[in-house]
Amino acid sequence: MDLSIVIPFYNEQDSLRELVEKIYEIVVPLQYSFEIIFIDDGSTDESFPRLMEAKANHSEIKIIRFRKNFGKSTALSEGFKRAKGEIVITMDADLQDDPGEIPNLIKALENYDLVSGWKKKRHDPITKTIPSKFFNFITRILTGIKIHDFNCGLKAYRKEVIKAIPVYGELHRYLPVLAHWQGFNVGEIAVKHHPRKFGKTKFGARRFLSGFFDLLSVLFITRYRQKPMHLFGLFGLINIMVGFAILLYLTILWFQGIGIGRRPLLFLGILLVIVGAQSFSLGLIGDMLISTRDTRPKFAVKEVIE
Ligand code: UDP
Ligand code: MG
C-alpha cells in the first residue's frame, strides 16, 4: 500500500462527507493505492452513520470506532497502529486542513522523514494564535527543531516514523519532537488553512495548561528517558551539597559556643538535604525501572553496511 490517510474525529458530522469527497478528488489522480482510516473518537452526534454512508461507495475507507472519547493522541496512535501505507498522512476532520496539500506533503517527504504543515496564514481566533506562537517559540528553542508549527494536524510521515513514536496522553502536540529525538529528519512546508466551517473546537482554554505539561513531559522523555538519574541525581546532588555546606557552617558555629537552634538557616539546611536525598532516590528508582524494560529507540539503526 502506498498511502494511508489517518483522520481522527470527534463530533464532526457536518464536515465528514465533504472531506471524503475532497480527499478523493485529490488522491485518485495520484494513482496510488491508498486507504483512509477514520478514527471515531467517541462521537455522540451523527458522525458515525454519515461516515458509514460514505463508506458504502468508497471502499478505501476504514473506520475505527472508540467506545468513548479518548482524545486525539489515542485516536492517532490507533490509526498509526493499523496504517499499512509506506506514507502516512494525518489531517483534522473539520475541513480546516486542506486535502489539496497532500501532493505537496508527499513531494516534500522526499527530503524528510516527517513533514509538518505550517499554518502560515492561520484562520483561528486570536486567543488561540498568540499563545500558540509562544508555545511554538519555546518548543523551537528548547528542542532545536527549526519548524514554526508543531501542532499542525496536517502532517506526512514515512512509515518507520509512525511505527517508532509513542503517542499517548496529549503528546500529539509534539510529534515532531518525538520523531526528531529518534533521529528522524523533520521538515515543514507552508499549508493552506481554513476557518472552522461547522461545529466548534474540541480543545478549550485548557489546551494551554495541558500544552505546557506536555512540553515538560516531552522534554523529559526525549532527554532523560534513558537516564533519569542524570536529571534527578544532579538536582539531588546540588541540594544535598548546598544543604551540607550550610549545616557544616552551623556546626562550626555551634562548636564555638554560638547557639544555632533558632537560626532559619538551620531549617533551610535540613530542608535542602531532605529534598536532595528524595530527588536522588527518585533518580535511582527511575534507573531501576528502565533497567527492567527496553526503552531504546525502535528505529535507531538507519542502515547496516557489511
Ligand atoms: N479530535 C478528536 N478527539 C478529541 C478532540 C478532537 O479526534 O478529543 C479531532 C477533531 O474532531 C478534529 C481534530 O481532532 O478532527 C482537531 O480538533 P479541533 O479542530 O477541535 O482542534 P483545533 O483546530 O481547534 O486546534
Ligand atoms: Mg480545527
Side-chain angles (χ1 to χ4, degrees), residues 12 72 92-97 122 124 128 193-196 200-203 207:
E12 306 284 4
K72 192 176 174 184
D92 290 354
D94 55 359
L95 296 168
Q96 289 198 267
D97 295 333
R122 194 167 168 185
D124 272 325
K128 218 160 116 182
H193 185 241
H194 303 284
R196 208 180 225 284
K200 53 179 196 277
T201 174
K202 307 298 179 303
F203 301 100
R207 75 166 75 215

Side-chain angles (χ1 to χ4, degrees), residues 252-273:
I252 294 168
L253 292 187
W254 185 77
F255 273 115
Q256 292 169 349
I258 303 169
I260 57 167
R262 289 164 162 265
R263 302 269 317 248
L265 200 58
L266 177 65
F267 297 98
L268 180 65
I270 295 170
L271 185 72
L272 287 176
V273 172

Side-chain angles (χ1 to χ4, degrees), residues 160-221:
E160 309 90 88
V161 182
I162 56 146
K163 302 293 178 194
I165 49 182
V167 201
Y168 62 88
E170 292 195 10
L171 291 190
H172 65 264
R173 293 199 178 84
Y174 299 104
L175 290 175
V177 184
L178 294 171
H180 171 81
W181 167 68
Q182 305 235 13
F184 293 112
N185 237 338
V186 176
E188 78 177 345
I189 59 168
V191 294
K192 257 189 254 146
H193 185 241
H194 303 284
R196 208 180 225 284
K197 223 163 137 183
F198 307 103
K200 53 179 196 277
T201 174
K202 307 298 179 303
F203 301 100
R206 275 216 353 246
R207 75 166 75 215
F208 304 122
L209 197 59
S210 21
F212 173 67
F213 289 139
D214 292 331
L215 179 59
L216 292 184
S217 328
V218 94
L219 284 174
F220 177 69
I221 61 174

